[in-house]
Each structure stands twice: as C-alpha cells, then as structure tokens.
Amino acid sequence: MIHLMIFLPVLGSLLLMATPRRWREEVAGFIAALTLGLGLLIWRAGGTELFSIPWIDALGVTYSVQLDGVSLALALVTAFMSFIACLYTARRIPNPGTMLALILGMETGLLGIFAARDLILFYVFFEDALIPALLMLAIYGKDRRMKALVKFAAYTLFGSLLMLVSFIGIKYLGGSPTFALADLRANPVQGAMQTWLYIGFLLAMAVKLPLWPLHAWLPDFHEQNHESGIPDVMGTLYKVGGYGIFQFGITLFPDASLELRPILMGLAAFTALYAAWIAFHQTDWKRLLAYAGLSHMGFVALGVFSLNETAVIGAMYLLAFQNLYTGALFLSVGMLQERIGSLDTRVGGVMTQAGALGGLTMALWFASIAVPGMAGFIGEFSILLGAYQISPWLTFIAGITTIAAAAYALTAFQTTFWQARPLGGVRVADLQHVEWLVLGLPLAVAIFFGIYSAPALNLMQPAVKAVLSALGGQ
C-alpha cells in the first residue's frame, strides 16, 4: 500500500496527459482523494513496516521506504493539502491540466521524501519535488519570476550538492555496505569528520527549512508565484529541512548534534525573531506570509536542535500543522487578490463586504499565531517548554516571537479587512462554492487537533523517542 500511495500521484499526473480536457479536474481530484484515503488506511493500520530491496546494488543504493510516526503524519498532511490544492486549481486556473499535473508530480516527490529510509533515495525524491516547483514558477509566475526562479534553483541546488557530498562521505568513511539508514546507523562516522559532515548536511537542510541567512530565496519565490496561492501551498509543503534534520541529522550525527546544540539553538531563535520583525514591515501579503513561515521554521529548528523530547515532538507537530493554516492563508490571499486585483495589505474595508472570507482568514491567522485551541499552540508551547530546559535565555528570545506574530498578523488583518473601504474601490464578493471547503477544511483540522491532540501525539511520540535514542540518553 505504501508504494501505491507514493507513486499514485505521479501516475495520475501522467494519466492527465491522455485525459480529455473536460475530465482533467475530476481525474486529478479523484487521484488526490484516493492518495489521501490510502494514507488514512495506513494510519489506521498503525503505519507500515520497513520495506527494503537493492536498487543500484553496485553503488550500495537501496529502495528502502517506511511510513510511521512523524513521517506518516507529514505524509498525511501533504496528501490532504495536495487534495485542497487540486480542488482550488479546478476553480481558479483556466485550463488547469498543467497545474494539476505539476501538483500531483510534486506530491509524489514530497511523499517519497518522508518515506525514504535510504539517503540516495531521499536525495532522488528531494530533487523530484524540486522540478515541479520550478516549473510552476516558470509557467505561472509573475513578470519577475525568472530572477526568483534562478535564486530559488541556485540555493536549492547548492544545498543539494552539499547534501550529496555529505551522504557519500557518511557511507564511505563509516564503512557502511549501503546507503540504507539502518546500515548507516550500524556503521557511524566518528570524531571530527562527523562534525564536518554534519555541517555540510546542515547547510543543505538550512536552505529547505529555511534558516537565516540561507532564506533569501523564500520571499521572492512566494511573491513571484501565481496569485492564486496554489504553488505557495506546495512550496510550503516543500519546507522539509526540519524533517531531514530530525530523521537523518540526529540519527547519523549524534555527537555533532550535541556539540553544536548551543550554536544551532541560537541561530534558530534569531531566525524566528528576525523573520517576525521583518514580517511586521511588509505591505505585500505574500511576502508577509513568507516571513511568517520563516519565523515558524525558526521555532521548528529550535525544537529539533534542542534535542529535548518534548521540544522535538512539538517541533514535528508544528511542522506538520503549520502546513495546513499557512497553506490555507496563501489561498485566502489568492481569493482576495482575485476580487480586488491587489495583494497590498492596505486596501481596507473588505470585512464589510466579504464577511465569510474575512472571518475564515481571521480564524486561520489565529491558528498561525498559536492561539490556544488551535494546533499551532500545542506545537509552539511544547517547543518552548522543552527548549527552556536546555537554554532558558534562547527560549525567552524565541518566545518574544509569539508577541511579534500577533502584532504583524493582526496589524495586517486590520488594515486589509477593517479600515474604511476607499472611495471607488471595487465591490468584494464573498466566498462561493468550493472556496468554503478550501478554507474551511484546513481550519477544521487545525481546530480538531488543537483541541484533541492525542491521535497525532501518540503517532509521533514513539518515533521521536526512537530517533533520540541515538543520543544515548544525553
């Protein structure tokens, strides 16, 4: 079942090429829904066992996949938001076949990233997810998209090269027979070389978290993508650096993780606060959301780098569920742009004409700023609680972000939705048809897991314990 879940979307992407134009939306929606259904069945079964067979035997590359714990949670969120993206694409994009094919193709890459238990397989899926992201920007982006595309590709490929070099070094310096995670754990690299390899791996993952100062591609990537917000949803899902550090970094570099912990926690806390400060000064909704997402990733990194069980669980919880409300916020901004023709935060008075759009957007912002009762609160509170046990001062610095987040979110919301509508401004239509589902379903899930977190926490906790066991109880 795991193989079908991973590869069904890309098969559906290819199928769309042979599907008559009038049926493409239905076929893509069915494939995305079926993929989500398979994920739910895997969750009900308690995850999957490790499946491993030789792939490129001469190089020690295996096809090793497994979905359980954290990886299953992230795969479920990816499948869910890919389904939401397909729903809105059918509504928003004229002749949406190409966009739908790219969404499904990217979904396979993302699911493969979370399922991979072989470093080269992880690398292959990592690159597979990059190609549709670049094509979305190149085909559907705005006037300055090529500059944003070159920056995004340069940062990502630079990180990919460092990651590949680190992976090769891990295998050959450790003496592992394959690139499979189980073999690499049994044959660890020791001493100073572990630290250097970890630094190379960290630089690659820092691009895809992202972390300061390797975040410069992010605001332009979101600003220049299609106004609908659909590519931004998939781009948010592609922030896999936190998962990579959790699944591979801690496991393969335990000594280096402990050695560099204070420095990395400091970098994460600075990223969270810096991004929130920059977000406060943005007047473009997409750039504001880009920096808000960067601030969230600083929190995720703080939790992961702390190596504290409570904080790491919170980091994975936040990483999973921020994809829901951040992705939905990009879509709500896309709906706003479609109605008024602008992404400026100072348009004013939208709430008086589009109350449902304003109300759902406000609720999604409450989820984003971690209001109690939302999934984001559980993640951020757990991170602060756990990280405080390791470094109170760095946790205090990161904690200021919660105040800053409320400031930038509510200020931008007020100037867009509450202030007086300018004379001569176009009338703003309220939510219609599928738009209710596109915003309402992610919000409902964020509320459900904010009130009843046990299913997700019970899924994640054993996986976190297993990963942290590599530290030997330190």
Side-chain angles (χ1 to χ4, degrees):
M1 191 180 297
I2 183 176
H3 316 299
L4 184 59
M5 182 184 181
I6 294 171
F7 294 106
L8 179 62
V10 75
L11 293 175
S13 177
L14 297 174
L15 179 62
L16 287 182
M17 298 180 184
T19 302
R21 181 175 298 181
R22 66 180 181 276
W23 296 110
R24 286 177 180 171
E25 296 94 326
E26 289 80 2
V27 170
F30 174 76
I31 294 294
L34 184 57
T35 303
L36 176 59
L38 290 170
L40 293 173
L41 290 175
I42 292 173
W43 184 17
R44 185 178 179 183
T48 68
E49 297 295 327
L50 176 65
F51 177 89
S52 183
I53 58 172
W55 179 23
I56 309 175
D57 209 16
L59 299 178
V61 180
T62 67
Y63 174 74
S64 300
V65 292
Q66 184 178 17
L67 281 174
D68 66 342
V70 172
S71 62
L72 178 55
L74 290 168
L76 284 168
V77 170
T78 296
F80 177 77
M81 289 308 294
S82 297
F83 173 66
I84 294 295
C86 286
L87 282 181
Y88 191 53
T89 299
R91 147 75 179 81
R92 177 71 189 268
I93 306 295
N95 188 19
T98 301
M99 178 68 87
L100 290 169
L102 292 173
I103 290 170
L104 293 176
M106 189 169 179
E107 183 180 2
T108 282
L110 293 169
L111 294 175
I113 286 171
F114 301 131
R117 296 296 183 270
D118 179 282
L119 294 189
I120 300 302
L121 186 65
F122 176 83
Y123 176 82
V124 169
F125 281 124
F126 188 89
E127 297 302 308
D128 174 64
L130 172 64
I131 296 170
L134 290 172
L135 289 175
M136 285 182 195
L137 181 57
I139 297 171
Y140 295 98
K142 299 178 187 175
D143 293 341
R144 291 182 291 155
R145 62 182 180 271
M146 293 311 298
K147 179 182 177 181
L149 188 149
V150 169
K151 185 184 292 187
F152 174 50
Y155 272 85
T156 304
L157 293 174
F158 167 75
S160 298
L161 178 61
L162 287 176
M163 179 167 59
L164 185 59
V165 170
S166 297
F167 287 171
I168 294 171
I170 294 166
K171 178 183 183 296
Y172 287 102
L173 293 176
S176 173
T178 72
F179 284 95
L181 184 58
D183 287 335
L184 293 168
R185 287 191 67 171
N187 298 272
V189 178
Q190 303 289 351
M193 282 310 302
Q194 184 184 122
T195 302
W196 286 111
L197 289 172
Y198 186 43
I199 291 172
F201 178 74
L202 277 176
L203 289 172
M205 292 298 100
V207 173
K208 295 310 298 174
L209 253 168
L211 279 179
W212 181 91
L214 299 177
H215 69 287
W217 61 271
L218 185 68
D220 291 340
F221 171 83
H222 286 300
E223 181 185 33
Q224 293 302 312
N225 248 312
H226 192 266
E227 295 94 339
S228 65
I230 295 163
D232 303 292
V233 172
M234 303 309 294
T236 299
L237 294 170
Y238 196 27
K239 293 176 182 175
V240 296
Y243 171 78
I245 294 169
F246 164 76
Q247 187 65 259
F248 299 107
I250 298 174
T251 302
L252 299 176
F253 311 101
D255 296 337
S257 297
L258 288 166
E259 180 185 353
L260 298 177
R261 174 163 61 181
I263 297 172
L264 296 176
M265 287 184 68
L267 181 62
F270 176 78
T271 298
L273 189 58
Y274 160 82
W277 172 255
I278 299 299
F280 184 78
H281 294 85
Q282 300 304 306
T283 57
D284 180 282
W285 268 112
K286 281 203 172 189
R287 293 187 73 88
L288 189 153
L289 285 171
Y291 282 109
L294 177 63
S295 184
H296 286 140
M297 290 304 101
F299 253 97
V300 168
L302 180 71
V304 174
F305 291 142
S306 74
L307 306 178
N308 173 274
E309 182 182 322
T310 301
V312 174
I313 292 173
M316 294 300 102
Y317 203 92
L318 180 61
L319 179 62
F321 289 104
Q322 66 87 29
N323 287 326
L324 293 173
Y325 44 76
T326 302
L329 280 169
F330 273 114
L331 296 178
S332 73
V333 168
M335 295 174 191
L336 182 65
Q337 189 281 333
E338 183 183 25
R339 287 160 167 77
I340 64 176
S342 172
L343 288 169
D344 197 290
T345 62
R346 298 164 295 184
V347 293
V350 172
M351 181 69 87
T352 60
Q353 300 175 0
L357 174 60
L360 286 179
T361 301
M362 181 169 63
L364 288 166
W365 268 119
F366 284 163
S368 180
I369 63 177
V371 168
M374 300 290 191
F377 173 76
I378 294 173
E380 291 194 13
F381 182 75
S382 298
I383 291 168
L384 293 173
L385 186 64
Y388 184 84
Q389 300 174 41
I390 306 300
S391 177
W393 281 108
L394 289 177
T395 305
F396 172 77
I397 292 171
I400 299 173
T401 302
T402 59
I403 302 172
Y408 69 67
L410 297 180
T411 299
F413 184 87
Q414 179 186 10
T415 55
T416 299
F417 288 89
W418 282 122
Q419 289 186 353
R421 192 91 180 101
L423 294 176
V426 297
R427 180 160 186 82
V428 184
D430 212 340
L431 295 180
Q432 300 174 2
H433 311 302
V434 76
E435 292 174 336
W436 283 94
L437 291 176
V438 167
L439 299 185
L441 287 177
L443 177 61
V445 175
I447 293 173
F448 178 83
F449 283 100
I451 296 172
Y452 183 50
S453 59
L457 291 176
N458 291 340
L459 180 64
M460 293 181 180
Q461 189 172 25
V464 171
K465 284 180 177 290
V467 167
L468 293 181
S469 66
L471 301 173
Q474 299 182 59

